[in-house]
Amino acid sequence: MIEYNQQNMGCFDLGGKRLKSKHNNYIVGIYVRLSRDDERAGESLSIENQKMLLTKYIADKGWKLYDVYVDDGISGTTFDRDGVQSLLNDAKSGVINTIVVKDLSRFGRNYIQVGQYIDYIFPSFGIRFIAVSDNIDTAGANSTAMDMMPITNVFNEWYAANTSRKVRAIFTANAKMGKSNMSHAPYGYLFGNDSKRTYVVNEEVSGIVKRIFELRAKGISPGQIAEIFNAEKILTPRDYLVKQTGKYLSTQSNHLWTQLCVRKILQNPAYIGNLALQRRTTISYKNHKAVLRPEEDWIVTENAHPAIISKELWDRVKEVEKSVSQGKKTRTGLVHPLSGFMYCADCGSKMKLEYYSLKKNGKKSGIVYTFNCGGHKRYGKSFCFSHYIKAADIEKLICDDVKKRAKFIIANEAEVKENFILKQTQFVRREQFDKQTELVNDKLRCKKLDSLIESAFEEKLEGKIPADLCVKLIEKYSAERQELDIKINELEQVLSSVQQANIDAGEFIGRIKKHLRDISVTRELCLELIDKIIIGAPKENGQPQNIEIYYKINLDAA
């Protein structure tokens, strides 16, 4: 029989057996825990003090100590702790039949999970649980201390929540003063010797950071950048930190650049001189999953330290990140400039790149690149028909079209800018209204769930509902609350990115002028100017194929 497969609680297989509720021979597991916040309480809560008190307690009882299970520097709001998991595994296997802690908060500060263990799981295994300082002993189910246990649990969780708020407030205050709480500076920087630990450029590796941004601006993917750096045997930021500090980090590393490693650098505004603190947080003091805060909630000090890259390069990279085209490599490692930009007009599939070699006198004399409907190539005529076109033909069309439209846009800059700003403003307002309405409704639901959780607990204390129903209701409401927290965070991120997705019209015109000097279809040109290209089916009787080029702003001539 399986009971309680809760998150972070493990799965307990009772196998149809129960340990007897009374033991003639108590085999005890002592559990001690100290969090970073508890360290402020001094010796009274120290690991050694807890061990001494509990060891004396079981010695006075004449019980047998099996082992001491320790978690040092870990919050009690989570049960994902090595010490407590080892304790629970030994309890599950029958190695111990009694658990002794100094007080209930040492075992945990999550009132739902603590209650489930003490009220349901431990009795199922015949485990006696004792919290010495709180006078809680499950062998005396009718004692006053056991009656007060739910209130003690709630108070312990309130304490954790209150402490979390105080710690966050300290971090926020430091961030507003421009003080970094980070253990090490971002890759490419070192901490200065001033009180704020202002970043100073690390000339040894700052060039690598700049190179990452330059490669990405040209359309090279983070994965490909990682491959380049691995081939060149450049130390990863993590390995460089170890080399620099001489301190090995606890988590494992394969000593290779990865896509994630490159993306973290590309997303850090420190490289344009902005100190952005409180970029990440946890969902709550109980759910420690790290999430990115919406940008409007970051605490940003602009021009706080020397920049490694220009704002222009930063903006170009952000635009590449938002592009619909990611591009795929051929077997030879090439990413064609148009890869990922072209779509079939009839089925909407991306156009698939193909190529073949030209031969002259039995020797290769060049390569011809072609595109065709991806749906047709994968599924055949029953899905879609051929939209075959040579890449060279599209490239010529793009060059001619850019030249023609660039002349118009340069001659009518003021009109183009005015139309662009009007359209973008309308889009932003519509997008913000829809997301803002959804966000408000979700936040109202969160407040309602908080009220329902509080009401369920009060009704349990007043005896209006049984304890098991109270636990089920609180679990249900809490689960929905956590899901909404994640959704709200995502909505706030979308709202913060709506305005940043827009390209400045003046900057775009500057790009047009730059490419007008020497127009050739490169990956960089496509990423800077083109949104997508729609390829129609080949026409019969020699009529031209219908091709539509969509630019990142409206370049249509009057």
Side-chain angles (χ1 to χ4, degrees):
M1 181 173 66
I2 304 293
E3 295 190 3
Y4 294 102
N5 189 12
Q6 299 288 344
Q7 183 180 9
N8 293 330
M9 293 182 65
C11 182
F12 291 83
D13 185 355
L14 305 184
K17 297 180 180 180
R18 292 287 189 277
L19 292 174
K20 294 180 180 180
S21 59
K22 295 181 179 180
H23 300 277
N24 295 321
N25 182 25
Y26 287 98
I27 304 173
V28 182
I30 288 176
Y31 178 72
V32 295
R33 181 184 65 82
L34 186 71
S35 73
R36 293 184 180 91
D37 296 327
D38 294 327
E39 290 172 358
R40 301 191 185 107
E43 179 62 23
S44 63
L45 281 179
S46 70
I47 294 292
E48 291 306 316
N49 183 272
Q50 292 179 58
K51 287 181 182 178
M52 182 175 64
L53 184 149
L54 299 178
T55 303
K56 184 178 183 303
Y57 177 85
I58 66 171
D60 291 344
K61 294 286 186 180
W63 296 343
K64 179 181 177 182
L65 174 62
Y66 176 76
D67 200 358
V68 178
Y69 305 83
V70 181
D71 283 312
D72 196 356
I74 303 178
S75 169
T77 57
T78 175
F79 274 79
D80 188 17
R81 300 173 247 147
D82 292 340
V84 82
Q85 288 300 317
S86 180
L87 171 81
L88 297 174
N89 288 335
D90 284 349
K92 170 186 171 182
S93 61
V95 174
I96 59 175
N97 54 39
T98 306
I99 295 173
V100 180
V101 298
K102 180 180 180 294
D103 57 60
L104 206 56
S105 68
R106 298 304 93 203
F107 183 58
R109 292 188 183 273
N110 184 315
Y111 77 92
I112 294 177
Q113 289 184 300
V114 170
Q116 286 176 325
Y117 276 114
I118 295 175
D119 290 338
Y120 298 98
I121 296 175
F122 290 161
S124 297
F125 284 89
I127 299 295
R128 182 176 179 179
F129 179 87
I130 300 171
V132 176
S133 298
D134 293 327
N135 293 317
I136 289 173
D137 187 343
T138 54
N142 297 320
S143 67
T144 302
M146 288 298 292
D147 290 339
M148 291 294 294
M149 187 181 70
I151 297 176
T152 304
N153 263 334
V154 170
F155 178 80
N156 287 335
E157 181 162 326
W158 170 86
Y159 178 85
N162 192 47
T163 300
S164 175
R165 281 192 292 270
K166 289 179 180 178
V167 172
R168 287 175 187 242
I170 292 172
F171 286 161
T172 300
N174 285 339
K176 288 180 178 178
M177 291 188 292
K179 291 183 179 180
S180 172
N181 293 310
M182 294 186 293
S183 60
H184 56 272
Y187 181 70
Y189 286 105
L190 299 171
F191 282 128
N193 295 323
D194 59 327
S195 61
K196 292 185 178 181
R197 302 197 300 169
T198 303
Y199 298 158
V200 294
V201 175
N202 182 351
E203 300 294 346
E204 187 177 3
V205 292
S206 60
I208 297 172
V209 172
K210 188 173 182 180
R211 187 180 171 199
I212 288 173
F213 280 90
E214 288 172 344
L215 290 171
R216 187 67 182 117
K218 293 178 180 178
I220 299 175
S221 72
Q224 291 171 305
I225 295 172
E227 288 180 13
I228 292 170
F229 285 8
N230 288 330
E232 296 178 5
K233 300 188 182 305
I234 296 174
L235 281 180
T236 66
R238 182 188 186 83
D239 288 344
Y240 179 77
L241 179 64
V242 171
K243 175 187 172 184
Q244 186 183 42
T245 62
K247 296 180 180 179
Y248 284 88
L249 305 179
S250 57
T251 52
Q252 294 182 347
S253 169
N254 58 12
H255 309 291
L256 293 173
W257 286 83
T258 64
Q259 176 179 319
L260 179 61
C261 177
V262 174
R263 284 198 181 281
K264 283 183 177 180
I265 291 174
L266 292 170
Q267 293 168 358
N268 194 341
Y271 299 114
I272 54 173
N274 294 345
L275 179 64
L277 300 175
Q278 304 240 312
R279 294 167 57 209
R280 289 179 174 80
T281 185
T282 54
I283 292 176
S284 73
Y285 67 95
K286 290 193 288 186
N287 188 333
H288 296 164
K289 179 182 178 182
V291 293
L292 188 67
R293 292 177 185 268
E295 288 195 27
E296 64 265 24
D297 291 343
W298 295 0
I299 298 177
V300 180
T301 305
E302 295 186 353
N303 303 316
H305 53 265
I308 291 178
I309 65 166
S310 67
K311 182 64 165 56
E312 180 187 2
L313 179 56
W314 169 270
D315 290 339
R316 282 167 54 201
V317 167
K318 287 300 172 189
E319 186 183 335
V320 169
E321 293 287 318
K322 293 179 176 68
S323 173
V324 297
S325 169
Q326 298 302 316
K328 291 185 178 181
K329 291 189 294 186
T330 65
R331 288 192 296 271
T332 59
L334 169 77
V335 176
H336 193 278
L338 293 170
S339 178
F341 282 97
M342 299 193 297
Y343 294 83
C344 172
D346 292 281
C347 72
S349 299
K350 278 193 175 183
M351 300 289 282
K352 181 178 175 61
L353 175 68
E354 297 178 319
Y355 55 95
Y356 59 87
S357 299
L358 290 176
K359 290 185 178 181
K360 187 175 182 180
N361 299 325
K363 295 181 179 181
K364 290 184 180 179
S365 59
I367 299 176
V368 175
Y369 293 97
T370 66
F371 286 92
N372 206 335
C373 169
H376 171 72
K377 298 302 294 184
R378 283 190 296 272
Y379 308 116
K381 295 180 180 178
S382 59
F383 184 85
C384 193
F385 46 93
S386 173
H387 288 63
Y388 173 88
I389 189 169
K390 288 183 178 180
D393 293 341
I394 306 175
E395 291 173 14
K396 184 178 184 306
L397 177 66
I398 292 173
C399 288
D400 293 343
D401 198 56
V402 168
K403 286 179 182 178
K404 170 189 170 185
R405 294 172 183 272
K407 289 178 182 178
F408 169 80
I409 198 173
I410 291 170
N412 301 274
E413 282 193 31
E415 181 184 349
V416 169
K417 284 183 179 179
E418 184 179 350
N419 290 336
F420 174 79
I421 292 171
L422 177 62
K423 289 182 179 179
Q424 293 290 51
T425 302
Q426 291 173 345
F427 167 78
V428 168
R429 287 176 179 172
R430 184 172 61 253
E431 182 84 354
Q432 284 181 328
F433 177 79
D434 293 342
K435 297 297 181 184
Q436 193 68 46
T437 301
E438 190 175 356
L439 182 63
V440 168
N441 291 335
D442 287 342
K443 286 185 174 180
L444 288 174
R445 178 59 180 168
C446 281
K447 289 183 179 180
K448 178 66 175 177
L449 290 169
D450 289 339
S451 176
L452 290 171
I453 290 172
E454 184 178 348
S455 297
F457 184 71
E458 289 177 352
E459 289 182 5
K460 189 265 182 189
L461 291 180
E462 294 172 3
K464 294 181 179 179
I465 60 173
D468 57 344
L469 177 58
C470 174
V471 169
K472 289 180 180 178
L473 288 173
I474 292 176
E475 283 178 345
K476 175 185 174 183
Y477 299 146
S478 297
E480 185 181 351
R481 182 70 162 78
Q482 289 184 7
E483 289 177 0
L484 281 174
D485 282 337
I486 296 172
K487 183 182 176 186
I488 286 170
N489 183 268
E490 291 174 348
L491 282 171
E492 288 175 337
Q493 289 186 53
V494 169
L495 281 169
S496 69
S497 65
V498 167
Q499 299 253 18
Q500 297 182 11
N502 303 323
I503 306 166
D504 180 76
E507 180 190 345
F508 192 91
I509 291 171
R511 296 179 191 178
I512 284 283
K513 291 177 178 178
K514 178 182 74 174
H515 290 289
L516 186 60
R517 290 192 293 269
D518 181 23
I519 294 181
S520 60
V521 179
T522 63
R523 189 73 181 165
E524 187 176 6
L525 177 143
C526 293
L527 287 167
E528 288 190 349
L529 302 183
I530 297 174
D531 183 39
K532 60 184 176 181
I533 304 171
I534 306 299
I535 307 296
K539 300 290 184 178
E540 297 179 357
N541 302 323
Q543 293 183 356
Q545 196 168 352
N546 186 38
I547 298 173
E548 298 176 76
I549 303 173
Y550 291 82
Y551 294 92
K552 290 191 172 180
I553 68 169
N554 186 6
L555 298 178
D556 289 334

PDB file of all heavy atoms in Angstrom, residues 183-185 236-255 264:
ATOM      1  N   SER A 183      28.292  36.827  -4.436  1.00  0.00           N
ATOM      2  CA  SER A 183      29.533  36.262  -3.918  1.00  0.00           C
ATOM      3  C   SER A 183      30.714  36.558  -4.834  1.00  0.00           C
ATOM      4  O   SER A 183      31.858  36.598  -4.390  1.00  0.00           O
ATOM      5  CB  SER A 183      29.390  34.745  -3.738  1.00  0.00           C
ATOM      6  OG  SER A 183      29.080  34.123  -4.987  1.00  0.00           O
ATOM      7  N   HIS A 184      30.440  36.738  -6.129  1.00  0.00           N
ATOM      8  CA  HIS A 184      31.512  37.057  -7.071  1.00  0.00           C
ATOM      9  C   HIS A 184      30.968  37.947  -8.190  1.00  0.00           C
ATOM     10  O   HIS A 184      29.773  37.946  -8.476  1.00  0.00           O
ATOM     11  CB  HIS A 184      32.127  35.783  -7.664  1.00  0.00           C
ATOM     12  CG  HIS A 184      31.132  34.881  -8.324  1.00  0.00           C
ATOM     13  ND1 HIS A 184      30.440  33.901  -7.643  1.00  0.00           N
ATOM     14  CD2 HIS A 184      30.696  34.814  -9.609  1.00  0.00           C
ATOM     15  CE1 HIS A 184      29.629  33.273  -8.465  1.00  0.00           C
ATOM     16  NE2 HIS A 184      29.761  33.809  -9.663  1.00  0.00           N
ATOM     17  N   ALA A 185      31.863  38.717  -8.783  1.00  0.00           N
ATOM     18  CA  ALA A 185      31.467  39.634  -9.852  1.00  0.00           C
ATOM     19  C   ALA A 185      31.144  38.862 -11.119  1.00  0.00           C
ATOM     20  O   ALA A 185      31.607  37.730 -11.309  1.00  0.00           O
ATOM     21  CB  ALA A 185      32.602  40.630 -10.120  1.00  0.00           C
ATOM     22  N   THR A 236      35.884  28.124 -19.200  1.00  0.00           N
ATOM     23  CA  THR A 236      34.521  28.574 -18.923  1.00  0.00           C
ATOM     24  C   THR A 236      34.553  29.590 -17.777  1.00  0.00           C
ATOM     25  O   THR A 236      35.513  29.646 -17.003  1.00  0.00           O
ATOM     26  CB  THR A 236      33.627  27.395 -18.509  1.00  0.00           C
ATOM     27  OG1 THR A 236      34.087  26.889 -17.240  1.00  0.00           O
ATOM     28  CG2 THR A 236      33.662  26.286 -19.536  1.00  0.00           C
ATOM     29  N   PRO A 237      33.507  30.421 -17.653  1.00  0.00           N
ATOM     30  CA  PRO A 237      33.460  31.368 -16.526  1.00  0.00           C
ATOM     31  C   PRO A 237      33.630  30.677 -15.173  1.00  0.00           C
ATOM     32  O   PRO A 237      34.302  31.204 -14.282  1.00  0.00           O
ATOM     33  CB  PRO A 237      32.064  31.989 -16.658  1.00  0.00           C
ATOM     34  CG  PRO A 237      31.779  31.935 -18.126  1.00  0.00           C
ATOM     35  CD  PRO A 237      32.376  30.632 -18.580  1.00  0.00           C
ATOM     36  N   ARG A 238      33.044  29.506 -15.041  1.00  0.00           N
ATOM     37  CA  ARG A 238      33.140  28.760 -13.787  1.00  0.00           C
ATOM     38  C   ARG A 238      34.578  28.323 -13.514  1.00  0.00           C
ATOM     39  O   ARG A 238      35.102  28.494 -12.409  1.00  0.00           O
ATOM     40  CB  ARG A 238      32.214  27.547 -13.873  1.00  0.00           C
ATOM     41  CG  ARG A 238      32.187  26.707 -12.623  1.00  0.00           C
ATOM     42  CD  ARG A 238      31.391  25.435 -12.897  1.00  0.00           C
ATOM     43  NE  ARG A 238      31.236  24.676 -11.688  1.00  0.00           N
ATOM     44  CZ  ARG A 238      30.312  24.877 -10.764  1.00  0.00           C
ATOM     45  NH1 ARG A 238      29.450  25.858 -10.930  1.00  0.00           N
ATOM     46  NH2 ARG A 238      30.237  24.145  -9.682  1.00  0.00           N
ATOM     47  N   ASP A 239      35.223  27.739 -14.532  1.00  0.00           N
ATOM     48  CA  ASP A 239      36.603  27.279 -14.351  1.00  0.00           C
ATOM     49  C   ASP A 239      37.557  28.459 -14.159  1.00  0.00           C
ATOM     50  O   ASP A 239      38.539  28.359 -13.419  1.00  0.00           O
ATOM     51  CB  ASP A 239      37.038  26.439 -15.549  1.00  0.00           C
ATOM     52  CG  ASP A 239      36.373  25.080 -15.581  1.00  0.00           C
ATOM     53  OD1 ASP A 239      35.832  24.676 -14.537  1.00  0.00           O
ATOM     54  OD2 ASP A 239      36.373  24.427 -16.640  1.00  0.00           O
ATOM     55  N   TYR A 240      37.255  29.588 -14.822  1.00  0.00           N
ATOM     56  CA  TYR A 240      38.089  30.774 -14.644  1.00  0.00           C
ATOM     57  C   TYR A 240      37.977  31.284 -13.208  1.00  0.00           C
ATOM     58  O   TYR A 240      38.977  31.715 -12.608  1.00  0.00           O
ATOM     59  CB  TYR A 240      37.675  31.870 -15.627  1.00  0.00           C
ATOM     60  CG  TYR A 240      38.492  33.127 -15.479  1.00  0.00           C
ATOM     61  CD1 TYR A 240      39.788  33.202 -15.995  1.00  0.00           C
ATOM     62  CD2 TYR A 240      37.984  34.230 -14.801  1.00  0.00           C
ATOM     63  CE1 TYR A 240      40.554  34.348 -15.840  1.00  0.00           C
ATOM     64  CE2 TYR A 240      38.739  35.378 -14.643  1.00  0.00           C
ATOM     65  CZ  TYR A 240      40.023  35.435 -15.161  1.00  0.00           C
ATOM     66  OH  TYR A 240      40.776  36.560 -15.003  1.00  0.00           O
ATOM     67  N   LEU A 241      36.748  31.236 -12.641  1.00  0.00           N
ATOM     68  CA  LEU A 241      36.542  31.667 -11.258  1.00  0.00           C
ATOM     69  C   LEU A 241      37.341  30.794 -10.290  1.00  0.00           C
ATOM     70  O   LEU A 241      37.947  31.294  -9.342  1.00  0.00           O
ATOM     71  CB  LEU A 241      35.046  31.621 -10.916  1.00  0.00           C
ATOM     72  CG  LEU A 241      34.676  32.014  -9.489  1.00  0.00           C
ATOM     73  CD1 LEU A 241      35.034  33.473  -9.220  1.00  0.00           C
ATOM     74  CD2 LEU A 241      33.177  31.783  -9.245  1.00  0.00           C
ATOM     75  N   VAL A 242      37.325  29.483 -10.541  1.00  0.00           N
ATOM     76  CA  VAL A 242      38.095  28.564  -9.698  1.00  0.00           C
ATOM     77  C   VAL A 242      39.582  28.894  -9.785  1.00  0.00           C
ATOM     78  O   VAL A 242      40.297  28.935  -8.777  1.00  0.00           O
ATOM     79  CB  VAL A 242      37.833  27.105 -10.109  1.00  0.00           C
ATOM     80  CG1 VAL A 242      38.798  26.161  -9.397  1.00  0.00           C
ATOM     81  CG2 VAL A 242      36.397  26.714  -9.799  1.00  0.00           C
ATOM     82  N   LYS A 243      40.051  29.148 -11.004  1.00  0.00           N
ATOM     83  CA  LYS A 243      41.462  29.485 -11.204  1.00  0.00           C
ATOM     84  C   LYS A 243      41.807  30.797 -10.496  1.00  0.00           C
ATOM     85  O   LYS A 243      42.884  30.942  -9.892  1.00  0.00           O
ATOM     86  CB  LYS A 243      41.740  29.613 -12.703  1.00  0.00           C
ATOM     87  CG  LYS A 243      43.150  30.085 -13.027  1.00  0.00           C
ATOM     88  CD  LYS A 243      43.301  30.360 -14.522  1.00  0.00           C
ATOM     89  CE  LYS A 243      44.648  31.008 -14.838  1.00  0.00           C
ATOM     90  NZ  LYS A 243      44.774  31.360 -16.259  1.00  0.00           N
ATOM     91  N   GLN A 244      40.892  31.742 -10.552  1.00  0.00           N
ATOM     92  CA  GLN A 244      41.130  33.064  -9.996  1.00  0.00           C
ATOM     93  C   GLN A 244      41.113  33.064  -8.469  1.00  0.00           C
ATOM     94  O   GLN A 244      41.937  33.714  -7.829  1.00  0.00           O
ATOM     95  CB  GLN A 244      40.063  34.023 -10.528  1.00  0.00           C
ATOM     96  CG  GLN A 244      40.260  35.473 -10.163  1.00  0.00           C
ATOM     97  CD  GLN A 244      39.109  36.318 -10.668  1.00  0.00           C
ATOM     98  OE1 GLN A 244      37.947  35.920 -10.576  1.00  0.00           O
ATOM     99  NE2 GLN A 244      39.427  37.484 -11.211  1.00  0.00           N
ATOM    100  N   THR A 245      40.169  32.325  -7.879  1.00  0.00           N
ATOM    101  CA  THR A 245      39.994  32.350  -6.423  1.00  0.00           C
ATOM    102  C   THR A 245      40.683  31.194  -5.712  1.00  0.00           C
ATOM    103  O   THR A 245      40.931  31.270  -4.510  1.00  0.00           O
ATOM    104  CB  THR A 245      38.498  32.312  -6.072  1.00  0.00           C
ATOM    105  OG1 THR A 245      37.924  31.074  -6.552  1.00  0.00           O
ATOM    106  CG2 THR A 245      37.766  33.488  -6.705  1.00  0.00           C
ATOM    107  N   GLY A 246      40.917  30.105  -6.464  1.00  0.00           N
ATOM    108  CA  GLY A 246      41.504  28.927  -5.829  1.00  0.00           C
ATOM    109  C   GLY A 246      40.494  28.123  -5.034  1.00  0.00           C
ATOM    110  O   GLY A 246      40.853  27.152  -4.352  1.00  0.00           O
ATOM    111  N   LYS A 247      39.205  28.506  -5.118  1.00  0.00           N
ATOM    112  CA  LYS A 247      38.160  27.794  -4.378  1.00  0.00           C
ATOM    113  C   LYS A 247      37.335  26.965  -5.345  1.00  0.00           C
ATOM    114  O   LYS A 247      36.776  27.491  -6.311  1.00  0.00           O
ATOM    115  CB  LYS A 247      37.253  28.796  -3.658  1.00  0.00           C
ATOM    116  CG  LYS A 247      37.973  29.600  -2.592  1.00  0.00           C
ATOM    117  CD  LYS A 247      37.008  30.577  -1.924  1.00  0.00           C
ATOM    118  CE  LYS A 247      37.719  31.395  -0.854  1.00  0.00           C
ATOM    119  NZ  LYS A 247      36.804  32.369  -0.207  1.00  0.00           N
ATOM    120  N   TYR A 248      37.243  25.679  -5.082  1.00  0.00           N
ATOM    121  CA  TYR A 248      36.453  24.801  -5.935  1.00  0.00           C
ATOM    122  C   TYR A 248      35.001  24.853  -5.509  1.00  0.00           C
ATOM    123  O   TYR A 248      34.684  24.809  -4.317  1.00  0.00           O
ATOM    124  CB  TYR A 248      36.988  23.367  -5.871  1.00  0.00           C
ATOM    125  CG  TYR A 248      38.263  23.190  -6.665  1.00  0.00           C
ATOM    126  CD1 TYR A 248      39.496  23.436  -6.092  1.00  0.00           C
ATOM    127  CD2 TYR A 248      38.220  22.825  -8.013  1.00  0.00           C
ATOM    128  CE1 TYR A 248      40.676  23.301  -6.822  1.00  0.00           C
ATOM    129  CE2 TYR A 248      39.390  22.688  -8.754  1.00  0.00           C
ATOM    130  CZ  TYR A 248      40.611  22.931  -8.146  1.00  0.00           C
ATOM    131  OH  TYR A 248      41.758  22.815  -8.880  1.00  0.00           O
ATOM    132  N   LEU A 249      34.116  24.946  -6.483  1.00  0.00           N
ATOM    133  CA  LEU A 249      32.682  25.015  -6.202  1.00  0.00           C
ATOM    134  C   LEU A 249      32.140  23.612  -5.982  1.00  0.00           C
ATOM    135  O   LEU A 249      32.626  22.637  -6.536  1.00  0.00           O
ATOM    136  CB  LEU A 249      31.963  25.702  -7.360  1.00  0.00           C
ATOM    137  CG  LEU A 249      32.523  27.103  -7.694  1.00  0.00           C
ATOM    138  CD1 LEU A 249      31.774  27.693  -8.864  1.00  0.00           C
ATOM    139  CD2 LEU A 249      32.429  28.017  -6.488  1.00  0.00           C
ATOM    140  N   SER A 250      31.090  23.538  -5.169  1.00  0.00           N
ATOM    141  CA  SER A 250      30.595  22.222  -4.738  1.00  0.00           C
ATOM    142  C   SER A 250      29.912  21.442  -5.854  1.00  0.00           C
ATOM    143  O   SER A 250      30.005  20.221  -5.902  1.00  0.00           O
ATOM    144  CB  SER A 250      29.615  22.390  -3.564  1.00  0.00           C
ATOM    145  OG  SER A 250      28.549  23.242  -3.944  1.00  0.00           O
ATOM    146  N   THR A 251      29.202  22.138  -6.748  1.00  0.00           N
ATOM    147  CA  THR A 251      28.477  21.425  -7.799  1.00  0.00           C
ATOM    148  C   THR A 251      29.422  20.984  -8.909  1.00  0.00           C
ATOM    149  O   THR A 251      30.459  21.585  -9.134  1.00  0.00           O
ATOM    150  CB  THR A 251      27.376  22.312  -8.402  1.00  0.00           C
ATOM    151  OG1 THR A 251      27.962  23.560  -8.784  1.00  0.00           O
ATOM    152  CG2 THR A 251      26.286  22.567  -7.386  1.00  0.00           C
ATOM    153  N   GLN A 252      29.023  19.935  -9.614  1.00  0.00           N
ATOM    154  CA  GLN A 252      29.878  19.345 -10.642  1.00  0.00           C
ATOM    155  C   GLN A 252      29.880  20.192 -11.913  1.00  0.00           C
ATOM    156  O   GLN A 252      28.956  20.947 -12.185  1.00  0.00           O
ATOM    157  CB  GLN A 252      29.408  17.923 -10.966  1.00  0.00           C
ATOM    158  CG  GLN A 252      29.579  16.965  -9.801  1.00  0.00           C
ATOM    159  CD  GLN A 252      29.136  15.561 -10.183  1.00  0.00           C
ATOM    160  OE1 GLN A 252      28.494  15.354 -11.203  1.00  0.00           O
ATOM    161  NE2 GLN A 252      29.486  14.595  -9.347  1.00  0.00           N
ATOM    162  N   SER A 253      30.935  20.053 -12.691  1.00  0.00           N
ATOM    163  CA  SER A 253      31.055  20.777 -13.961  1.00  0.00           C
ATOM    164  C   SER A 253      31.748  19.879 -14.973  1.00  0.00           C
ATOM    165  O   SER A 253      32.648  19.112 -14.618  1.00  0.00           O
ATOM    166  CB  SER A 253      31.859  22.063 -13.763  1.00  0.00           C
ATOM    167  OG  SER A 253      32.192  22.641 -15.003  1.00  0.00           O
ATOM    168  N   ASN A 254      31.315  19.985 -16.243  1.00  0.00           N
ATOM    169  CA  ASN A 254      31.987  19.217 -17.294  1.00  0.00           C
ATOM    170  C   ASN A 254      33.074  20.047 -17.982  1.00  0.00           C
ATOM    171  O   ASN A 254      33.667  19.617 -18.959  1.00  0.00           O
ATOM    172  CB  ASN A 254      30.972  18.727 -18.332  1.00  0.00           C
ATOM    173  CG  ASN A 254      30.191  19.861 -18.972  1.00  0.00           C
ATOM    174  OD1 ASN A 254      30.533  21.047 -18.822  1.00  0.00           O
ATOM    175  ND2 ASN A 254      29.136  19.528 -19.686  1.00  0.00           N
ATOM    176  N   HIS A 255      33.308  21.269 -17.464  1.00  0.00           N
ATOM    177  CA  HIS A 255      34.386  22.146 -17.934  1.00  0.00           C
ATOM    178  C   HIS A 255      34.221  22.538 -19.407  1.00  0.00           C
ATOM    179  O   HIS A 255      35.197  22.781 -20.102  1.00  0.00           O
ATOM    180  CB  HIS A 255      35.752  21.485 -17.718  1.00  0.00           C
ATOM    181  CG  HIS A 255      35.957  20.979 -16.326  1.00  0.00           C
ATOM    182  ND1 HIS A 255      36.107  21.820 -15.246  1.00  0.00           N
ATOM    183  CD2 HIS A 255      35.990  19.710 -15.833  1.00  0.00           C
ATOM    184  CE1 HIS A 255      36.249  21.097 -14.145  1.00  0.00           C
ATOM    185  NE2 HIS A 255      36.183  19.825 -14.468  1.00  0.00           N
ATOM    186  N   LYS A 264      23.446  33.321 -20.334  1.00  0.00           N
ATOM    187  CA  LYS A 264      23.515  34.089 -19.083  1.00  0.00           C
ATOM    188  C   LYS A 264      24.324  35.364 -19.273  1.00  0.00           C
ATOM    189  O   LYS A 264      23.980  36.414 -18.731  1.00  0.00           O
ATOM    190  CB  LYS A 264      24.131  33.233 -17.981  1.00  0.00           C
ATOM    191  CG  LYS A 264      23.177  32.198 -17.391  1.00  0.00           C
ATOM    192  CD  LYS A 264      23.830  31.435 -16.256  1.00  0.00           C
ATOM    193  CE  LYS A 264      22.853  30.459 -15.623  1.00  0.00           C
ATOM    194  NZ  LYS A 264      23.477  29.688 -14.510  1.00  0.00           N
TER     195      LYS A 264
END
